[in-house]
Amino acid sequence: PPLALAFLKASLNKADLECDCIDFSIQFRPMMVSALGDQVAEQHIASNPKLYKNWAQQIIDREPDVVGFSLLISNIETSALIAHEVKRLRPEVVILSGGPSLTRENKNTLEIAYEFSDYIIEGEGETAIVDFVECLQRKGDVSKLKQLWLKQPDGSLYFTGHGIEQNIDGIAFPDFSDFDRSLYPCPEKLPMLFSRGCILNCNYCENKWNHTTQRSRQGELVFEELKSNVLKYGIKEYMFNDDSLISHKTFTELEKYCDMVISEGLVMPWSVYGTRVERKLTEPYVKKLRDSGMERVSLGVESFSSRVQKEMGKSSKYDDADKTCRLF
């Protein structure tokens, strides 16, 4: 199930705001084929209005005041179809969009999203979406809020500026209660997050537009979330969706986390969405990761050429990448 939606739901509920989440992708097929998009699927949905009209009706049936779309390149075209239908059925609804590609660097994507959105949030959304909904409730001036893209009278887009960086230890644990996990390929598996951002500033990566640098959660808090997921959802495996799980920003807290998992007997398979080449890695450290349950890792090497890595803006060298691969 989508981790971003679960985080947003938990934050809204914590502020006593009612929120429902719907994952239409799981109604369409078991999983998204590519995060870069799937034109065949988009064309199929567009040529079968019953599909996206049914999804829009599911939203309308909940009688929402605000409808939020979590956008990627892979779902923006389909989201547009649903959003236009939602507006047709309920013109007074406020449509809010967000997602990692909706940044100043991607003005073209912003413009596409604004064709069906009333407002767009840039960056981390947990605090921003609560501020936005509460402002609407009291009929306040949303233009005074941070992190919003607004449309000017002349049609141009205006960014209200960055907000205060969130304390990620203070964000509520993700709430997956709206998702029927039996529909997913791995019903007993959930995503988790140990950190946000990356310590690097690679030329090709849009991470820097969403997070200024990497911030790590406390290992004890992540362990509390793991225990909560086991009790609440009965999980038997999980995946860290970090952009770069292992770095000098997370090194100490991640080791503390592994120690707690091992000592409390909560060892189960876990995998890593992504991590960078890290010079501090040692055989004992990697063994501890393995002993705590890590069974799969996606390592961001990109190139074994030190020259190419330097041109990318990476700080690692060939020897670092080679050593890290061999350690894993």
Side-chain angles (χ1 to χ4, degrees), residues 10-36:
S11 296
L12 287 163
N13 286 349
K14 185 178 179 181
D16 294 323
L17 297 167
E18 186 180 350
C19 171
D20 291 334
C21 294
I22 314 175
D23 180 9
F24 293 126
S25 64
I26 204 64
Q27 298 182 24
F28 180 58
R29 59 168 164 219
M31 65 188 72
M32 186 167 61
V33 172
S34 169
L36 299 177

PDB file of all heavy atoms in Angstrom, residues 10-36:
ATOM      1  N   ALA A  10      -2.596   9.643   8.606  1.00  0.00           N
ATOM      2  CA  ALA A  10      -2.279   9.663  10.036  1.00  0.00           C
ATOM      3  C   ALA A  10      -2.149  11.087  10.555  1.00  0.00           C
ATOM      4  O   ALA A  10      -2.606  11.409  11.662  1.00  0.00           O
ATOM      5  CB  ALA A  10      -0.980   8.891  10.279  1.00  0.00           C
ATOM      6  N   SER A  11      -1.540  11.967   9.758  1.00  0.00           N
ATOM      7  CA  SER A  11      -1.360  13.357  10.195  1.00  0.00           C
ATOM      8  C   SER A  11      -2.688  14.095  10.269  1.00  0.00           C
ATOM      9  O   SER A  11      -2.928  14.877  11.195  1.00  0.00           O
ATOM     10  CB  SER A  11      -0.406  14.077   9.238  1.00  0.00           C
ATOM     11  OG  SER A  11       0.885  13.494   9.290  1.00  0.00           O
ATOM     12  N   LEU A  12      -3.569  13.859   9.288  1.00  0.00           N
ATOM     13  CA  LEU A  12      -4.885  14.499   9.310  1.00  0.00           C
ATOM     14  C   LEU A  12      -5.726  13.981  10.480  1.00  0.00           C
ATOM     15  O   LEU A  12      -6.383  14.760  11.183  1.00  0.00           O
ATOM     16  CB  LEU A  12      -5.603  14.251   7.984  1.00  0.00           C
ATOM     17  CG  LEU A  12      -5.059  15.050   6.794  1.00  0.00           C
ATOM     18  CD1 LEU A  12      -5.529  14.437   5.476  1.00  0.00           C
ATOM     19  CD2 LEU A  12      -5.472  16.515   6.882  1.00  0.00           C
ATOM     20  N   ASN A  13      -5.692  12.683  10.706  1.00  0.00           N
ATOM     21  CA  ASN A  13      -6.451  12.113  11.819  1.00  0.00           C
ATOM     22  C   ASN A  13      -5.945  12.627  13.163  1.00  0.00           C
ATOM     23  O   ASN A  13      -6.730  12.863  14.090  1.00  0.00           O
ATOM     24  CB  ASN A  13      -6.387  10.589  11.787  1.00  0.00           C
ATOM     25  CG  ASN A  13      -7.245   9.999  10.680  1.00  0.00           C
ATOM     26  OD1 ASN A  13      -8.045  10.697  10.062  1.00  0.00           O
ATOM     27  ND2 ASN A  13      -7.085   8.719  10.418  1.00  0.00           N
ATOM     28  N   LYS A  14      -4.631  12.800  13.268  1.00  0.00           N
ATOM     29  CA  LYS A  14      -4.039  13.314  14.508  1.00  0.00           C
ATOM     30  C   LYS A  14      -4.553  14.721  14.806  1.00  0.00           C
ATOM     31  O   LYS A  14      -4.668  15.118  15.968  1.00  0.00           O
ATOM     32  CB  LYS A  14      -2.506  13.318  14.378  1.00  0.00           C
ATOM     33  CG  LYS A  14      -1.772  13.708  15.654  1.00  0.00           C
ATOM     34  CD  LYS A  14      -0.264  13.637  15.432  1.00  0.00           C
ATOM     35  CE  LYS A  14       0.496  14.060  16.691  1.00  0.00           C
ATOM     36  NZ  LYS A  14       1.962  14.004  16.471  1.00  0.00           N
ATOM     37  N   ALA A  15      -4.874  15.466  13.741  1.00  0.00           N
ATOM     38  CA  ALA A  15      -5.408  16.820  13.901  1.00  0.00           C
ATOM     39  C   ALA A  15      -6.939  16.817  13.953  1.00  0.00           C
ATOM     40  O   ALA A  15      -7.567  17.867  13.797  1.00  0.00           O
ATOM     41  CB  ALA A  15      -4.926  17.699  12.744  1.00  0.00           C
ATOM     42  N   ASP A  16      -7.544  15.648  14.165  1.00  0.00           N
ATOM     43  CA  ASP A  16      -8.998  15.492  14.249  1.00  0.00           C
ATOM     44  C   ASP A  16      -9.699  15.880  12.953  1.00  0.00           C
ATOM     45  O   ASP A  16     -10.808  16.440  12.964  1.00  0.00           O
ATOM     46  CB  ASP A  16      -9.578  16.296  15.422  1.00  0.00           C
ATOM     47  CG  ASP A  16      -9.126  15.760  16.768  1.00  0.00           C
ATOM     48  OD1 ASP A  16      -9.005  14.527  16.899  1.00  0.00           O
ATOM     49  OD2 ASP A  16      -8.882  16.570  17.679  1.00  0.00           O
ATOM     50  N   LEU A  17      -9.055  15.593  11.840  1.00  0.00           N
ATOM     51  CA  LEU A  17      -9.648  15.826  10.524  1.00  0.00           C
ATOM     52  C   LEU A  17      -9.931  14.474   9.878  1.00  0.00           C
ATOM     53  O   LEU A  17      -9.056  13.613   9.819  1.00  0.00           O
ATOM     54  CB  LEU A  17      -8.698  16.644   9.645  1.00  0.00           C
ATOM     55  CG  LEU A  17      -8.393  18.054  10.155  1.00  0.00           C
ATOM     56  CD1 LEU A  17      -7.205  18.653   9.409  1.00  0.00           C
ATOM     57  CD2 LEU A  17      -9.611  18.956  10.004  1.00  0.00           C
ATOM     58  N   GLU A  18     -11.156  14.298   9.412  1.00  0.00           N
ATOM     59  CA  GLU A  18     -11.556  13.014   8.831  1.00  0.00           C
ATOM     60  C   GLU A  18     -10.918  12.830   7.449  1.00  0.00           C
ATOM     61  O   GLU A  18     -10.906  13.747   6.636  1.00  0.00           O
ATOM     62  CB  GLU A  18     -13.077  12.950   8.713  1.00  0.00           C
ATOM     63  CG  GLU A  18     -13.604  11.601   8.257  1.00  0.00           C
ATOM     64  CD  GLU A  18     -15.118  11.577   8.161  1.00  0.00           C
ATOM     65  OE1 GLU A  18     -15.770  12.532   8.622  1.00  0.00           O
ATOM     66  OE2 GLU A  18     -15.637  10.587   7.606  1.00  0.00           O
ATOM     67  N   CYS A  19     -10.413  11.637   7.203  1.00  0.00           N
ATOM     68  CA  CYS A  19      -9.721  11.374   5.942  1.00  0.00           C
ATOM     69  C   CYS A  19      -9.916   9.924   5.522  1.00  0.00           C
ATOM     70  O   CYS A  19      -9.807   9.011   6.338  1.00  0.00           O
ATOM     71  CB  CYS A  19      -8.225  11.680   6.102  1.00  0.00           C
ATOM     72  SG  CYS A  19      -7.209  11.153   4.716  1.00  0.00           S
ATOM     73  N   ASP A  20     -10.217   9.727   4.236  1.00  0.00           N
ATOM     74  CA  ASP A  20     -10.264   8.397   3.641  1.00  0.00           C
ATOM     75  C   ASP A  20      -9.230   8.323   2.526  1.00  0.00           C
ATOM     76  O   ASP A  20      -9.026   9.299   1.804  1.00  0.00           O
ATOM     77  CB  ASP A  20     -11.643   8.098   3.038  1.00  0.00           C
ATOM     78  CG  ASP A  20     -12.717   7.939   4.096  1.00  0.00           C
ATOM     79  OD1 ASP A  20     -12.375   7.578   5.226  1.00  0.00           O
ATOM     80  OD2 ASP A  20     -13.895   8.185   3.775  1.00  0.00           O
ATOM     81  N   CYS A  21      -8.590   7.161   2.380  1.00  0.00           N
ATOM     82  CA  CYS A  21      -7.612   6.942   1.309  1.00  0.00           C
ATOM     83  C   CYS A  21      -8.130   5.857   0.358  1.00  0.00           C
ATOM     84  O   CYS A  21      -8.701   4.860   0.809  1.00  0.00           O
ATOM     85  CB  CYS A  21      -6.263   6.491   1.873  1.00  0.00           C
ATOM     86  SG  CYS A  21      -5.419   7.732   2.864  1.00  0.00           S
ATOM     87  N   ILE A  22      -7.913   6.069  -0.936  1.00  0.00           N
ATOM     88  CA  ILE A  22      -8.262   5.062  -1.935  1.00  0.00           C
ATOM     89  C   ILE A  22      -7.068   4.864  -2.857  1.00  0.00           C
ATOM     90  O   ILE A  22      -6.503   5.829  -3.365  1.00  0.00           O
ATOM     91  CB  ILE A  22      -9.474   5.485  -2.790  1.00  0.00           C
ATOM     92  CG1 ILE A  22     -10.616   6.028  -1.927  1.00  0.00           C
ATOM     93  CG2 ILE A  22      -9.957   4.316  -3.626  1.00  0.00           C
ATOM     94  CD1 ILE A  22     -11.777   6.567  -2.742  1.00  0.00           C
ATOM     95  N   ASP A  23      -6.702   3.600  -3.061  1.00  0.00           N
ATOM     96  CA  ASP A  23      -5.645   3.252  -4.005  1.00  0.00           C
ATOM     97  C   ASP A  23      -6.301   2.637  -5.234  1.00  0.00           C
ATOM     98  O   ASP A  23      -6.638   1.454  -5.251  1.00  0.00           O
ATOM     99  CB  ASP A  23      -4.659   2.269  -3.356  1.00  0.00           C
ATOM    100  CG  ASP A  23      -3.522   1.873  -4.287  1.00  0.00           C
ATOM    101  OD1 ASP A  23      -3.408   2.486  -5.374  1.00  0.00           O
ATOM    102  OD2 ASP A  23      -2.752   0.964  -3.931  1.00  0.00           O
ATOM    103  N   PHE A  24      -6.488   3.454  -6.276  1.00  0.00           N
ATOM    104  CA  PHE A  24      -7.164   2.949  -7.475  1.00  0.00           C
ATOM    105  C   PHE A  24      -6.284   1.996  -8.278  1.00  0.00           C
ATOM    106  O   PHE A  24      -6.797   1.172  -9.036  1.00  0.00           O
ATOM    107  CB  PHE A  24      -7.594   4.117  -8.367  1.00  0.00           C
ATOM    108  CG  PHE A  24      -8.671   4.966  -7.762  1.00  0.00           C
ATOM    109  CD1 PHE A  24      -8.511   6.332  -7.634  1.00  0.00           C
ATOM    110  CD2 PHE A  24      -9.847   4.401  -7.309  1.00  0.00           C
ATOM    111  CE1 PHE A  24      -9.498   7.120  -7.073  1.00  0.00           C
ATOM    112  CE2 PHE A  24     -10.847   5.181  -6.742  1.00  0.00           C
ATOM    113  CZ  PHE A  24     -10.667   6.550  -6.633  1.00  0.00           C
ATOM    114  N   SER A  25      -4.967   2.094  -8.114  1.00  0.00           N
ATOM    115  CA  SER A  25      -4.088   1.229  -8.903  1.00  0.00           C
ATOM    116  C   SER A  25      -4.325  -0.241  -8.580  1.00  0.00           C
ATOM    117  O   SER A  25      -4.244  -1.101  -9.459  1.00  0.00           O
ATOM    118  CB  SER A  25      -2.610   1.594  -8.667  1.00  0.00           C
ATOM    119  OG  SER A  25      -2.243   1.353  -7.327  1.00  0.00           O
ATOM    120  N   ILE A  26      -4.635  -0.532  -7.335  1.00  0.00           N
ATOM    121  CA  ILE A  26      -4.837  -1.930  -6.955  1.00  0.00           C
ATOM    122  C   ILE A  26      -6.177  -2.448  -7.480  1.00  0.00           C
ATOM    123  O   ILE A  26      -6.394  -3.660  -7.617  1.00  0.00           O
ATOM    124  CB  ILE A  26      -4.722  -2.115  -5.423  1.00  0.00           C
ATOM    125  CG1 ILE A  26      -4.352  -3.563  -5.083  1.00  0.00           C
ATOM    126  CG2 ILE A  26      -5.990  -1.699  -4.708  1.00  0.00           C
ATOM    127  CD1 ILE A  26      -3.003  -3.990  -5.583  1.00  0.00           C
ATOM    128  N   GLN A  27      -7.110  -1.542  -7.786  1.00  0.00           N
ATOM    129  CA  GLN A  27      -8.371  -1.942  -8.394  1.00  0.00           C
ATOM    130  C   GLN A  27      -8.199  -2.235  -9.881  1.00  0.00           C
ATOM    131  O   GLN A  27      -8.994  -2.937 -10.489  1.00  0.00           O
ATOM    132  CB  GLN A  27      -9.425  -0.844  -8.223  1.00  0.00           C
ATOM    133  CG  GLN A  27      -9.775  -0.544  -6.783  1.00  0.00           C
ATOM    134  CD  GLN A  27     -10.847   0.522  -6.677  1.00  0.00           C
ATOM    135  OE1 GLN A  27     -11.629   0.735  -7.588  1.00  0.00           O
ATOM    136  NE2 GLN A  27     -10.873   1.208  -5.543  1.00  0.00           N
ATOM    137  N   PHE A  28      -7.132  -1.666 -10.458  1.00  0.00           N
ATOM    138  CA  PHE A  28      -6.904  -1.804 -11.887  1.00  0.00           C
ATOM    139  C   PHE A  28      -6.083  -3.041 -12.201  1.00  0.00           C
ATOM    140  O   PHE A  28      -6.363  -3.780 -13.121  1.00  0.00           O
ATOM    141  CB  PHE A  28      -6.213  -0.552 -12.417  1.00  0.00           C
ATOM    142  CG  PHE A  28      -5.924  -0.570 -13.897  1.00  0.00           C
ATOM    143  CD1 PHE A  28      -6.952  -0.735 -14.814  1.00  0.00           C
ATOM    144  CD2 PHE A  28      -4.639  -0.420 -14.361  1.00  0.00           C
ATOM    145  CE1 PHE A  28      -6.692  -0.751 -16.176  1.00  0.00           C
ATOM    146  CE2 PHE A  28      -4.368  -0.425 -15.722  1.00  0.00           C
ATOM    147  CZ  PHE A  28      -5.399  -0.589 -16.629  1.00  0.00           C
ATOM    148  N   ARG A  29      -5.044  -3.283 -11.403  1.00  0.00           N
ATOM    149  CA  ARG A  29      -4.187  -4.450 -11.584  1.00  0.00           C
ATOM    150  C   ARG A  29      -3.322  -4.588 -10.330  1.00  0.00           C
ATOM    151  O   ARG A  29      -3.234  -3.662  -9.521  1.00  0.00           O
ATOM    152  CB  ARG A  29      -3.320  -4.303 -12.825  1.00  0.00           C
ATOM    153  CG  ARG A  29      -2.432  -3.086 -12.785  1.00  0.00           C
ATOM    154  CD  ARG A  29      -1.413  -3.178 -13.892  1.00  0.00           C
ATOM    155  NE  ARG A  29      -0.830  -1.847 -14.072  1.00  0.00           N
ATOM    156  CZ  ARG A  29      -0.532  -1.348 -15.261  1.00  0.00           C
ATOM    157  NH1 ARG A  29      -0.768  -2.035 -16.333  1.00  0.00           N
ATOM    158  NH2 ARG A  29       0.015  -0.166 -15.364  1.00  0.00           N
ATOM    159  N   PRO A  30      -2.637  -5.707 -10.157  1.00  0.00           N
ATOM    160  CA  PRO A  30      -1.928  -5.938  -8.891  1.00  0.00           C
ATOM    161  C   PRO A  30      -0.885  -4.898  -8.525  1.00  0.00           C
ATOM    162  O   PRO A  30      -0.684  -4.619  -7.363  1.00  0.00           O
ATOM    163  CB  PRO A  30      -1.277  -7.316  -9.092  1.00  0.00           C
ATOM    164  CG  PRO A  30      -2.125  -7.966 -10.117  1.00  0.00           C
ATOM    165  CD  PRO A  30      -2.601  -6.884 -11.023  1.00  0.00           C
ATOM    166  N   MET A  31      -0.198  -4.319  -9.527  1.00  0.00           N
ATOM    167  CA  MET A  31       0.864  -3.379  -9.161  1.00  0.00           C
ATOM    168  C   MET A  31       1.170  -2.450 -10.327  1.00  0.00           C
ATOM    169  O   MET A  31       0.850  -2.739 -11.476  1.00  0.00           O
ATOM    170  CB  MET A  31       2.143  -4.121  -8.750  1.00  0.00           C
ATOM    171  CG  MET A  31       2.807  -4.910  -9.859  1.00  0.00           C
ATOM    172  SD  MET A  31       4.149  -5.936  -9.240  1.00  0.00           S
ATOM    173  CE  MET A  31       3.227  -7.204  -8.382  1.00  0.00           C
ATOM    174  N   MET A  32       1.767  -1.313 -10.003  1.00  0.00           N
ATOM    175  CA  MET A  32       2.185  -0.388 -11.038  1.00  0.00           C
ATOM    176  C   MET A  32       3.377  -0.985 -11.779  1.00  0.00           C
ATOM    177  O   MET A  32       4.332  -1.458 -11.176  1.00  0.00           O
ATOM    178  CB  MET A  32       2.590   0.940 -10.384  1.00  0.00           C
ATOM    179  CG  MET A  32       2.904   2.054 -11.350  1.00  0.00           C
ATOM    180  SD  MET A  32       3.003   3.642 -10.483  1.00  0.00           S
ATOM    181  CE  MET A  32       4.348   3.325  -9.334  1.00  0.00           C
ATOM    182  N   VAL A  33       3.324  -0.972 -13.101  1.00  0.00           N
ATOM    183  CA  VAL A  33       4.378  -1.611 -13.895  1.00  0.00           C
ATOM    184  C   VAL A  33       5.669  -0.811 -13.836  1.00  0.00           C
ATOM    185  O   VAL A  33       6.752  -1.343 -13.707  1.00  0.00           O
ATOM    186  CB  VAL A  33       3.918  -1.791 -15.358  1.00  0.00           C
ATOM    187  CG1 VAL A  33       5.074  -2.269 -16.229  1.00  0.00           C
ATOM    188  CG2 VAL A  33       2.782  -2.805 -15.417  1.00  0.00           C
ATOM    189  N   SER A  34       5.570   0.514 -13.912  1.00  0.00           N
ATOM    190  CA  SER A  34       6.772   1.333 -13.921  1.00  0.00           C
ATOM    191  C   SER A  34       6.492   2.684 -13.294  1.00  0.00           C
ATOM    192  O   SER A  34       5.481   3.319 -13.592  1.00  0.00           O
ATOM    193  CB  SER A  34       7.284   1.543 -15.350  1.00  0.00           C
ATOM    194  OG  SER A  34       8.295   2.525 -15.389  1.00  0.00           O
ATOM    195  N   ALA A  35       7.389   3.130 -12.432  1.00  0.00           N
ATOM    196  CA  ALA A  35       7.256   4.454 -11.829  1.00  0.00           C
ATOM    197  C   ALA A  35       7.449   5.559 -12.862  1.00  0.00           C
ATOM    198  O   ALA A  35       7.114   6.707 -12.633  1.00  0.00           O
ATOM    199  CB  ALA A  35       8.275   4.619 -10.703  1.00  0.00           C
ATOM    200  N   LEU A  36       7.998   5.213 -14.019  1.00  0.00           N
ATOM    201  CA  LEU A  36       8.213   6.192 -15.082  1.00  0.00           C
ATOM    202  C   LEU A  36       6.991   6.323 -15.990  1.00  0.00           C
ATOM    203  O   LEU A  36       6.973   7.139 -16.903  1.00  0.00           O
ATOM    204  CB  LEU A  36       9.438   5.798 -15.918  1.00  0.00           C
ATOM    205  CG  LEU A  36      10.756   5.737 -15.165  1.00  0.00           C
ATOM    206  CD1 LEU A  36      11.867   5.267 -16.089  1.00  0.00           C
ATOM    207  CD2 LEU A  36      11.098   7.099 -14.585  1.00  0.00           C
TER     208      LEU A  36
END
